[in-house]
Amino acid sequence: MTSKYEAEVYHCMDSTFELYERTESPLHRAILLNYWRHVHLEGAAMFEEITAPDMMADDPKYHITWGDSPFQVEGRKGVFDFYSSIGDIVLWNSGDKIAVADWGIADEMWFHQMSTGTELKKIGHKVEKDDGLYLVSSRQAFIWPYNDQALLTGEHLYEDKSTLTIEEIDPAEAMTPARVREIHKECLAEMEARMGPNYWVYRR
């Protein structure tokens, strides 16, 4: 049975592409395409592509406020290791309010995480059952600075903890990490077919 959440994953970056289509600045358009691609690469667990020189600046800095222990990550290797450490957690966003400027992206959204209690505890969430399936949701603000080459220089992720909900859900509603990776890869392939190779690279 298809999870009711699959459609949200397929459409998680619609707001970004809609803004891209309304945007005229070549730099802003390139930033939006980088952001769109980054999120789908992350969902597809394609971390080498995220940290490649055509996507990310040399010395990115991440500031993350998930759970009870905010932390920072520096450098491409640090970013790669951070993504690799997240484990089998399904992530997606919805309800985005997004803006783009020369300095980068600001996006307020609902951010969702689905996984077992064991995996969610690794990133600081407090849940009762290690083997339970949980849906974690909160309102978050993503501030992603970019340089003048439309390369990501960092991520600042801020969580409104007053909106945090952690709900145990029926395993029948689960999306497996493998299925979600497939969805993101479908989206990436469709975009490349539509936009051509290297569509995310900024050309002055």
Side-chain angles (χ1 to χ4, degrees):
M1 183 176 69
T2 300
S3 170
K4 66 181 182 181
Y5 299 106
E6 278 199 10
E8 292 188 22
V9 177
Y10 272 111
H11 295 287
C12 68
M13 296 305 288
D14 284 3
S15 295
T16 299
F17 197 73
E18 289 166 5
L19 178 57
Y20 166 82
E21 292 186 312
R22 301 194 304 270
T23 298
E24 296 182 359
S25 162
L27 175 61
H28 295 179
R29 286 166 68 88
I31 289 171
L32 288 164
L33 289 176
N34 179 296
Y35 182 56
W36 185 98
R37 184 171 185 258
H38 181 122
V39 171
H40 283 299
L41 289 172
E42 186 175 337
M46 299 171 68
F47 307 139
E48 289 185 4
E49 288 82 353
I50 288 176
T51 54
D54 62 357
M55 286 288 293
M56 184 173 286
D58 290 338
D59 190 26
K61 294 180 174 62
Y62 280 37
H63 303 263
I64 300 163
T65 64
W66 295 343
D68 290 333
S69 302
F71 59 96
Q72 298 183 21
V73 177
E74 295 190 13
R76 283 192 186 135
K77 177 65 163 56
V79 170
F80 180 90
D81 291 344
F82 162 65
Y83 286 130
S84 300
S85 73
I86 290 175
D88 285 335
I89 298 178
V90 172
L91 310 173
W92 76 96
N93 51 288
S94 63
D96 295 61
K97 303 294 185 183
I98 183 172
V100 63
D102 288 355
W103 61 264
I105 293 277
D107 189 359
E108 186 181 33
M109 67 186 71
W110 284 102
F111 190 72
H112 311 282
Q113 304 169 67
M114 179 188 292
S115 194
T116 63
T118 296
E119 293 297 327
L120 290 169
K121 284 179 178 179
K122 292 178 182 178
I123 59 171
H125 290 300
K126 296 178 180 178
V127 295
E128 292 183 4
K129 302 176 185 176
D130 287 350
D131 60 351
L133 180 69
Y134 293 90
L135 177 62
V136 180
S137 298
S138 62
R139 197 69 180 163
Q140 298 194 17
F142 282 19
I143 311 300
W144 288 26
Y146 281 78
N147 65 17
D148 61 3
Q149 299 299 311
L151 297 174
L152 183 69
T153 64
E155 294 186 16
H156 305 167
L157 311 184
Y158 302 107
E159 181 180 43
D160 178 356
K161 296 189 186 304
S162 71
T163 66
L164 177 65
T165 61
I166 301 177
E167 174 189 4
E168 187 173 6
I169 61 174
D170 188 331
E173 298 177 349
M175 291 185 292
T176 67
R179 174 58 185 143
V180 171
R181 287 192 288 270
E182 289 177 359
I183 292 172
H184 286 290
K185 287 178 180 178
E186 286 178 37
C187 293
L188 288 162
E190 289 173 5
M191 181 66 91
E192 187 148 357
R194 176 178 180 177
M195 303 287 285
N198 301 317
Y199 61 85
W200 60 91
V201 176
Y202 178 45
R203 297 176 178 84
R204 292 180 181 274

